[in-house]
């Protein structure tokens, strides 16, 4: 039986790589739903190639173009946020891959869990914002949440066969990004062009900026807490510039297991689809004659304050990670429009954390309100 997959964000970096995985295994997987935000031409090309049951474009103004271009095919065409939230509940879907960016992933993910779809989770912001809520929903609906983020996939792979064995520590590796060796002075003037040049991974703009500022790693610490049920003090970050070790788990006896490989997101995507099995893949193999040096450094939370702010949000809990996420989304967009400096982003996030009302036990409506308030406050601070 083929597994039918809905890809939320099929035109992005993760989305297009997921389609490559599906193409490699046409007997096992089918792209059943494809969705995008704005890039209608790419979505049309994907739909003509993969012939999904349905496509959704979040931006409603692009609907006529999409509808017209697919008129000769029996593909259902929808538009808007509401359609996106509904389509994930389509009966036939087995797996929902959440590969869209940011807070926008929260509601569709919740709906997919309610419809008991397996979640292949790339959209880490969903767990950052509302990890507790998502876990509770997944428990009630007995839905697996399979990590796609390379670090969390690595941890997940290390945990295979370890049921019942307590985790002592999760060790997340970080490449350190393009500014790993930059001084505080140098960081003051870095540009978005520099920040968008990641040394090891080719990703969407938002996560690439998050990687440069190390907010991405902070978010991954929060993500690890919810995925693996570990305490904050059990999650360690180590900078490993070669990105060969994708992450590690240390067990009660001191043994450390690691997962290694080329930096290629198709592997974690495929593992989330095929778990608990492994499938043949044509991805490039690691060549140890060419990676002769694996190095490790401590992360520097003075130069990369976002990492410290994410840890602080994790400790303060409640809606604090949601506040940080919203402020960060506003800051990254502002940085990409040259409205704020690279280091200015941490200042805005810190101030937003102090100004938005704290809620210790947020319900869904509180997250919605917090996200809106934090965006407004962050925007005000940027305007000055
Ligand atoms: P991207 O910018 O390349 O693609 C994003 C996709 O989501 C696009 O198809 C876009 O149309 C869609 N989208 C964006 N905003 C949307 C909205 N509001 N509503 C509906 N659709 C929307 O991003 P990416 O690099 O593929 O990252 C996607 C997610 O995966 C992010 O949460 C990111 O943190 C996570 N992730 C990415 C990588 C990677 O290697 N790219 C690795 C780990 C985790
Ligand atoms: Mg990652």
């Amino acid at each position: 039986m083929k597994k039918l997959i809905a890809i939320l964000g099929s035109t992005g970096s993760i989305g297009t790589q997921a389609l490559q995985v599906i193409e490699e295994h046409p007997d096992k997987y089918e792209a059943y739903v494809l969705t995008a935000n704005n890039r209608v031409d790419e979505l049309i090309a994907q739909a003509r190639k993969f012939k999904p049951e349905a496509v959704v474009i979040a931006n409603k103004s692009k609907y006529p173009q999409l509808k017209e271009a697919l008129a000769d095919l029996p593909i259902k065409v929808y538009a808007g946020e509401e359609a996106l939230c509904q389509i994930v509940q389509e009966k036939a879907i087995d797996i929902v891959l959440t590969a869209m960016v940011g807070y926008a992933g929260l509601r569709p993910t919740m709906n997919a869990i309610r419809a008991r779809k397996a979640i292949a989770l790339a959209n880490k912001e969903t767990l950052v914002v509302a990890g507790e809520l998502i876990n509770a929903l997944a428990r009630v609906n007995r839905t697996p949440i399979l990590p796609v983020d390379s670090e969390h996939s690595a941890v997940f792979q290390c945990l295979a066969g370890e049921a019942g064995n307590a985790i002592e520590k999760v060790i997340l590796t970080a490449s350190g990004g393009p500014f790993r060796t930059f001084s505080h002075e140098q960081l003051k003037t870095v540009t978005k062009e520099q920040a968008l040049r990641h040394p090891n991974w080719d990703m969407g703009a938002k996560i690439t900026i998050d990687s440069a500022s190390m907010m991405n790693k902070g978010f991954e610490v929060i993500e690890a807490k919810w995925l693996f049920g570990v305490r904050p003090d059990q999650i360690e970050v180590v900078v490993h510039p070669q990105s060969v070790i994708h992450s590690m788990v240390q067990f009660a006896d001191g043994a450390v297991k690691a997962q290694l490989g080329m930096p290629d997101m198709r592997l974690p995507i495929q593992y989330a689809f095929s778990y608990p099995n492994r499938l043949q893949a044509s991805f490039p193999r690691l060549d140890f004659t060419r990676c002769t040096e694996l190095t490790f450094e401590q992360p520097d939370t003075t130069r990369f304050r976002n990492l410290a702010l994410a840890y602080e949000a994790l400790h303060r809990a409640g809606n604090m990670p949601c506040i940080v996420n919203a402020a960060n989304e506003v800051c990254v967009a502002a940085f990409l429009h040259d409205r704020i400096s690279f280091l200015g982003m941490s200042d805005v996030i810190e101030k937003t954390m102090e100004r938005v009302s704290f809620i210790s036990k947020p319900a869904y409506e509180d997250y919605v309100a917090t996200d809106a308030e934090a965006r407004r406050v962050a925007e005000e601070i940027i305007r000055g």
Side-chain angles (χ1 to χ4, degrees), residues 124 149-152 207 216-217 220:
K124 67 190 86 186
D149 212 347
S150 60
E151 294 76 4
H152 305 76
I207 183 175
N216 182 53
K217 209 48 59 179
E220 291 183 352

Side-chain angles (χ1 to χ4, degrees), residues 44 47-48 55 63-77:
I44 292 166
R48 300 201 72 86
V55 293
Y63 175 79
Q65 190 189 345
L66 183 60
K67 179 85 184 152
E68 161 86 31
L70 299 177
D72 60 324
L73 295 171
I75 300 175
K76 295 181 194 125
V77 180

Side-chain angles (χ1 to χ4, degrees), residues 152 155 167-173 217-238 247-248 311 314-315:
H152 305 76
V155 170
I167 299 173
E168 193 167 86
K169 214 197 266 182
V170 165
I171 304 157
L172 299 178
T173 52
K217 209 48 59 179
F219 283 172
E220 291 183 352
V221 170
I222 301 175
E223 186 184 9
K225 174 193 154 105
W226 298 117
L227 283 173
F228 307 116
V230 286
R231 297 185 312 271
D233 62 289
Q234 289 175 293
I235 311 168
E236 192 175 299
V237 173
V238 59
S247 278
M248 302 175 258
Y311 263 106
L314 180 61
H315 283 288

Side-chain angles (χ1 to χ4, degrees), residues 191-248:
T191 63
K192 65 176 186 230
E193 287 77 16
Q194 288 173 289
L196 284 170
R197 253 178 263 130
H198 194 280
N200 303 350
W201 299 93
D202 183 11
M203 309 178 285
K206 196 260 179 182
I207 183 175
T208 306
I209 300 302
D210 285 345
S211 299
S213 73
M214 292 204 69
M215 184 56 97
N216 182 53
K217 209 48 59 179
F219 283 172
E220 291 183 352
V221 170
I222 301 175
E223 186 184 9
K225 174 193 154 105
W226 298 117
L227 283 173
F228 307 116
V230 286
R231 297 185 312 271
D233 62 289
Q234 289 175 293
I235 311 168
E236 192 175 299
V237 173
V238 59
V239 176
H240 165 49
Q242 297 82 15
S243 296
V244 167
I245 298 177
H246 296 312
S247 278
M248 302 175 258

